[in-house]
């Protein structure tokens, strides 16, 4: 997994940290307000937010970042339904981004998903063109019923 743009925040002032600690003690529910709308966080998000707030309440500085899931070429090729060789060739041509860990290639999951969406869109466009071509051929072969 690749680390993406961390954001560092200093520790809270002691009085704010103590107030936050009192609010967190014994609390199981984390509800947030976004633009005046109440959102109850799902358990995974709740746990992450509570952990972040607990660290602040202890007076710790905090770094928040996200990770991008990286796949081996084998897993990426399997997911895409293509051969390892074809995938490696696509990365060599720059069609799919790749990161190297030593000599090993790692492919972002998002890149494979985007490539699959592109392939699906191209396939649908091709099928629509074939359908329109058949329609034209069919109408050219039909004799004029009023003729």
């Amino acid at each position: 997994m690749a680390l993406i743009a961390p954001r560092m925040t200093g520790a809270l002032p002691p009085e704010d940290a103590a107030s936050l600690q009192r609010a967190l003690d014994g609390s199981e529910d984390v509800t947030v307000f976004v633009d005046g709308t109440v959102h109850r966080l799902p358990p995974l998000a709740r746990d992450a937010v509570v952990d972040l707030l607990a660290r602040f309440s202890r007076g710790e500085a905090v770094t928040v970042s996200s990770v991008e899931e990286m796949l081996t070429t084998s897993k990426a090729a399997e997911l895409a339904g293509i051969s390892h060789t074809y995938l490696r060739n696509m990365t060599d041509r720059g069609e799919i981004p790749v990161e190297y860990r030593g000599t090993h290639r790692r492919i972002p999951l998002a890149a494979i998903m985007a490539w699959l969406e592109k392939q699906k869109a191209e396939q649908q466009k091709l099928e629509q063109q074939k359908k329109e071509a058949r329609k034209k051929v069919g109408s050219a072969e039909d004799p004029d019923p009023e003729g």
Side-chain angles (χ1 to χ4, degrees):
M1 291 190 221
L3 193 63
I4 302 172
R7 178 174 180 213
M8 297 179 71
T9 303
L12 292 176
E15 61 277 2
D16 290 341
S19 175
L20 182 57
Q21 182 64 50
R22 284 189 302 275
L24 288 173
D25 283 342
S27 177
E28 291 296 316
D29 178 37
V30 175
T31 303
V32 296
F33 291 85
V34 179
D35 291 331
T37 303
V38 176
H39 296 278
R40 174 167 271 164
L41 296 177
L44 190 60
R46 181 201 62 225
D47 294 345
V49 169
V50 168
D51 180 59
L52 173 75
L53 295 174
R55 290 168 191 269
F56 273 134
S57 75
R58 293 189 300 265
E60 298 176 16
V62 176
T63 299
V64 176
S65 69
S66 57
V67 291
E68 181 177 40
E69 188 167 353
M70 302 297 281
L71 305 173
T72 64
T73 53
S74 297
K75 289 191 184 284
E78 181 181 339
L79 179 63
I82 57 178
S83 71
H84 306 93
T85 303
Y86 187 67
L87 178 66
R88 283 192 300 274
N89 289 339
M90 287 176 30
T91 62
D92 290 343
R93 292 190 303 266
E95 295 173 24
I96 294 208
V98 63
E99 290 183 20
Y100 286 89
R101 305 287 160 74
T103 58
H104 300 280
R105 299 173 200 231
R106 295 295 179 261
I107 314 294
L109 173 62
I112 294 298
M113 299 311 289
W115 182 82
L116 286 169
E117 282 298 315
K118 182 180 173 190
Q119 296 302 306
K120 182 179 174 182
E122 288 175 3
Q123 182 66 32
Q124 288 172 343
K125 182 179 177 183
L126 184 61
E127 288 174 9
Q128 183 63 32
Q129 289 172 344
K130 286 180 181 180
K131 186 177 178 181
E132 290 171 6
R134 282 193 299 269
K135 206 181 270 188
K136 284 181 184 177
V137 169
S139 64
E141 293 176 355
D142 287 342
D144 186 5
E146 297 180 24

